[in-house]
Amino acid sequence: MFPFLSCFSGSRRRERKCLLEKEENAKYLDRYPSWDGPENSLILQAFEWHMPSDKRHWNRLKRVLSEWQAIGVDHIWIPPGCKGMDPNGNGYDVYDLFDLGEFEQKGSVSTKWGNRIELEEMIRQAKSLGVNVIWDAVLNHKAGADYPEEFPAVAVDPRERTKEISKPFEIQGWTGFDFSNRRDQYSCMKYHWQHFSGVDWDQKREKNAIYKIAGPNKNWAPDVSNENGNYDFLMFADLDHSNPEVRNDLLHWGSWIAESLSLSGMRLDAAKHISTRFQKAFVEHVRDQVNPKFFVIGEYWTGNLYDIHEYLEKLDYQALAYDVPLLRKFSSISHSAKSDLRGIFEGTLVQSRPDHAVTFVANHDTQPGQMLETPVACSFKLLAYSLILLRKGGNPCVFFGDLYGIRANVEEPMKPACDGKLPILMQARKNYAYGEQENYFDQPNCIGFVRHGNAKHAGLVCLISNGDPNNKRMFIGRQHAGTQWKDILGYHRTSVVIDKRGYGNFPVNATCVGVWVDSAAVGKDGLPGTLDLNIYGY
């Protein structure tokens, strides 16, 4: 496990402990090279599940990019912009990977998000601001076939997919894809039943089940999650990544879209359902053909840390993964009165592989009503975001629905999270969260840490309570003696003065966070204004 830094105030014993832990960290990172990314990089997931189906989202993003860049966002994760079977769908029901809102297919030219011209204009605007774009790639399945085909299949037990519960028989599945209105532009590949592993609908009998396609060299991919025996099949028509034609078409698509849109990276949707050998080949291909620094985030959704490590190993650590164990910790602790905060990072990816962990508090799959709903109590979100945005380690991702609220197409609208202070935390990461980190994880319900800053950044103090009001004496450094530190979140009006030994006594309110910065640095950098919450356009 990656050693968890826990240096407390004291004299030589504290310094010796820090030194030993740094040596252990160095040994670890020698064994597992760190991910090459910019310091304090910040991802914003630039959508939520219930965004309006107004085909104006690319224009919406273009309008707010400068605001996001100003508060520290340098990567935006955008939704699947390929044509789905439903023109109002979010794109995870992917029909044609090569149609980015350019062809009249499935009843529309545009996708739910807009057309290709608007997409390209938005990305050009992002690039001009130094904001990179992460594409959400749906490579597990296809949906909305143009016609059904007959082929042999066997029904399998949905709870144990390796168990066949029928003999081979002829079914009729929706597996014929012609993309006729695209007229072979960008790719001449047509998809038929041979290109898939399984389907979930037999049109002949009008019956829903999981059918594994039968025939020579037909089976579930062996290098996927072993949930349900084998978790290759997820939904719709499941692509067979061992088929050479499928493999070549998807590799071609990867380099085509990365180059056409000047993408910096991709999120691989449903990664635990896709052959890891194929995923590794996909990353290597795009890096070789387009961009050697192209990066990938695998959506390998599991709370089992061992399984996430195994996934990353199979990809030779050429990808990042979501820290689902940490999210589940946030959710559990947030709903338990005064849970012990000291072990909040134990058993998480950010503790064991910080450079390969994408840390988050919510996303489109975990928001209310979704299949992977993992609720973090509203009162705890400020605490959770402080822990992922202001500490060393991890690649934090902020959720659109937390930044702006969720107001469209829901029965119970949600206000912006963190009492509206999430933009301040984001800009605090950009301006102050640098340098060595000293942890004060010494009380069950009140923890804190100091970022000591560097030559360009002043550093900060963060104090977190999930219980009663509290305070903590924390070491800032003798060079700061006499300076006044301000709570930039605005919960305390009185400054903390650093004493001659370099210590300050910092307070925090009940179930709250205090983020303290040298007043001189705040005067120099300023604080963000409020975001335009009218991003929805109504």
Side-chain angles (χ1 to χ4, degrees), residues 515-534:
V515 180
W516 299 82
V517 175
D518 188 332
S519 296
V522 175
K524 176 173 68 71
D525 297 319
L527 291 175
T530 57
L531 291 175
D532 177 11
L533 296 182
N534 196 34

Side-chain angles (χ1 to χ4, degrees), residues 302-305 308 322-330 344 347-349:
T302 177
N304 188 316
L305 182 61
I308 299 175
Y322 290 96
D323 198 344
V324 179
L326 178 61
L327 173 66
R328 292 186 175 178
K329 280 277 189 87
F330 287 158
I344 197 165
T348 64
L349 186 61

Side-chain angles (χ1 to χ4, degrees), residues 236-426:
F236 300 120
D238 187 72
L239 284 165
D240 180 357
H241 296 91
S242 69
N243 182 288
E245 292 181 319
V246 172
R247 178 186 174 93
N248 291 338
D249 194 51
L250 294 182
L251 293 179
H252 164 57
W253 175 82
S255 55
W256 169 80
I257 193 169
E259 185 171 25
S260 298
L261 299 181
S262 298
L263 301 176
S264 297
M266 285 186 190
R267 170 190 181 269
L268 296 185
D269 182 64
K272 72 179 181 181
H273 306 277
I274 301 173
S275 159
T276 50
R277 282 192 292 271
F278 171 77
Q279 292 182 61
K280 183 173 181 289
F282 183 86
V283 177
E284 291 173 344
H285 174 80
V286 178
R287 286 183 173 177
D288 179 64
Q289 296 294 314
V290 181
N291 178 3
K293 293 185 177 181
F294 193 85
F295 68 94
V296 164
I297 305 169
E299 190 229 354
Y300 199 95
W301 194 269
T302 177
N304 188 316
L305 182 61
Y306 174 83
D307 289 346
I308 299 175
H309 279 292
E310 187 175 48
Y311 167 73
L312 291 173
E313 274 189 30
K314 289 179 178 178
L315 269 66
D316 285 344
Y317 294 95
Q318 297 183 82
L320 287 72
Y322 290 96
D323 198 344
V324 179
L326 178 61
L327 173 66
R328 292 186 175 178
K329 280 277 189 87
F330 287 158
S331 178
S332 174
I333 289 175
S334 74
H335 291 96
S336 301
K338 296 186 179 180
S339 295
D340 194 329
L341 295 174
R342 291 174 294 183
I344 197 165
F345 290 107
E346 292 177 4
T348 64
L349 186 61
V350 72
Q351 182 190 46
S352 56
R353 289 306 305 267
D355 294 321
H356 289 78
V358 176
T359 52
F360 65 113
V361 178
N363 68 23
H364 69 292
D365 283 324
T366 72
Q367 69 184 85
Q370 294 299 96
M371 288 183 64
L372 298 176
E373 182 177 350
T374 312
V376 176
C378 293
S379 60
F380 195 82
K381 282 193 173 183
L382 180 66
L383 287 68
Y385 270 113
S386 297
L387 287 168
I388 69 171
L389 289 172
L390 304 183
R391 290 177 58 79
K392 292 177 69 174
N395 300 273
C397 181
V398 171
F399 178 44
F400 183 99
D402 283 337
L403 192 59
Y404 290 97
I406 298 174
R407 293 177 283 157
N409 307 316
V410 290
E411 293 182 2
E412 298 182 9
M414 294 173 57
K415 295 180 179 179
C418 306
D419 197 24
K421 298 182 185 296
L422 187 49
I424 300 177
L425 288 181
M426 294 164 70

Side-chain angles (χ1 to χ4, degrees), residues 445-447 462-472 487 491-492 505-516:
N445 305 118
C446 184
I447 60 175
C462 182
L463 196 58
I464 295 170
S465 170
N466 71 332
D468 299 327
N470 212 321
N471 60 78
K472 200 178 292 290
D487 177 11
Y491 293 117
H492 295 88
N505 192 33
F506 296 92
V508 63
N509 293 343
T511 315
C512 197
V513 175
V515 180
W516 299 82

Side-chain angles (χ1 to χ4, degrees), residues 68 90 136 179 185 189 208 232 242 253 262 270 326 337 408 453 537:
W68 292 350
N90 287 328
D136 205 331
F179 318 117
Q185 191 166 347
M189 174 76 171
N208 177 253
D232 185 358
S242 69
W253 175 82
S262 298
L326 178 61

